[in-house]
Amino acid sequence: MNVDLLFKIAAVGILVAVLHQVLCRAGREEQAMMTTLAGLVIVLTLVIKEISSLFDTVRTLFSL
Amino acid sequence: MDEVIKIVGIGLVALILIIIIKQYRPEFAIYISIISGIIIFFYAIDKLTNIIDLLKQICNQSGVNNKYLGILIKMTGIAFLAEFAISICKDAGESSLANKVELGSKAIVISMSIPIIHNLLEIILNLMPN
């Protein structure tokens, strides 16, 4: 486990926030929503991998 | 000592990131809190393995039935996982969902402890004069 993942997610969040602001100002509300959705899905794929590894580890540790 | 510095550092860094992100995108803040919780758990896992091994060894030496310790450890795991989900739900402001998760995990823990309760009641019944 490393802390890089934390920074990666934070970077995606900041990037998506900036893109959302810029696209909103440019009057492209729909594309702004699409970028938000894409960022959300990307981070979700990152997080789900870790959650599954957490479940596996707990299962082996506590012999569930 | 090394571990605790790492854990505290990760916690504080995650806290600052969450505070920055929360103003713009509250949904990413939840992701960061989940990931930081998982990372901190992975640092603590080595120590937990040692503790569980020690408990099993003591249980074998003292001649207590090994089955009961297994049930106890499983309950600890269920409680840990449930607590993980409950605290994330509460952070996101969904305390009713958190209550449902709590209820479900409690029901599972009690259903797992039924063999122990059954044994205890049987022993008491045997002790009682007819």
Side-chain angles (χ1 to χ4, degrees):
Chain A
M1 288 309 289
N2 46 11
V3 200
D4 285 357
L5 201 62
L6 216 68
F7 293 119
K8 220 185 270 178
I9 293 169
V12 173
I14 292 171
L15 204 66
V16 166
V18 169
L19 277 176
H20 186 84
Q21 294 286 330
V22 169
L23 287 173
C24 269
R25 289 286 143 78
R28 306 191 174 207
E29 307 279 335
E30 289 183 4
Q31 284 186 5
M33 209 199 74
M34 287 296 180
T35 39
T36 309
L37 205 63
L40 213 64
V41 170
I42 290 168
V43 176
L44 193 64
T45 49
L46 290 176
V47 171
I48 276 186
K49 236 181 280 169
E50 296 308 315
I51 292 175
S52 107
S53 81
L54 170 77
F55 283 168
D56 283 344
T57 318
V58 171
R59 196 170 281 168
T60 51
L61 180 63
F62 297 102
S63 62
L64 280 175
Chain B
M1 193 61 199
D2 209 28
E3 304 276 312
V4 79
I5 291 171
K6 276 182 193 166
I7 289 172
V8 170
I10 290 170
L12 289 180
V13 167
L15 176 73
I16 292 166
L17 288 177
I18 287 170
I19 289 172
I20 292 170
I21 295 279
K22 210 172 218 171
Q23 306 166 4
Y24 306 106
R25 302 270 109 202
E27 60 266 32
F28 283 93
I30 294 171
Y31 286 144
I32 294 177
S33 84
I34 293 174
I35 284 295
S36 58
I38 292 175
I39 291 173
I40 289 170
F41 174 71
F42 274 99
Y43 276 113
I45 201 162
D46 288 341
K47 313 291 170 195
L48 277 177
T49 333
N50 286 345
I51 294 167
I52 288 175
D53 283 346
L54 179 75
L55 278 179
K56 275 180 182 163
Q57 197 185 330
I58 289 172
C59 195
N60 279 336
Q61 279 176 359
S62 62
V64 180
N65 195 342
N66 222 343
K67 197 177 71 184
Y68 296 142
L69 185 75
I71 291 173
L72 214 64
I73 290 170
K74 276 182 191 173
M75 279 177 191
T76 318
I78 288 171
F80 169 76
L81 280 184
E83 183 59 39
F84 191 76
I86 289 166
S87 52
I88 287 168
C89 289
K90 274 189 183 154
D91 274 356
E94 296 286 335
S95 56
S96 61
L97 193 63
N99 278 335
K100 301 293 182 295
V101 176
E102 205 172 353
L103 182 74
S105 67
K106 271 179 190 164
I108 290 172
V109 165
I110 290 174
S111 79
M112 281 177 76
S113 68
I114 276 177
I116 300 177
I117 298 170
H118 182 78
N119 266 2
L120 181 70
L121 288 179
E122 250 179 10
I123 291 170
I124 293 172
L125 279 180
N126 282 339
L127 284 179
M128 280 203 313
N130 286 321

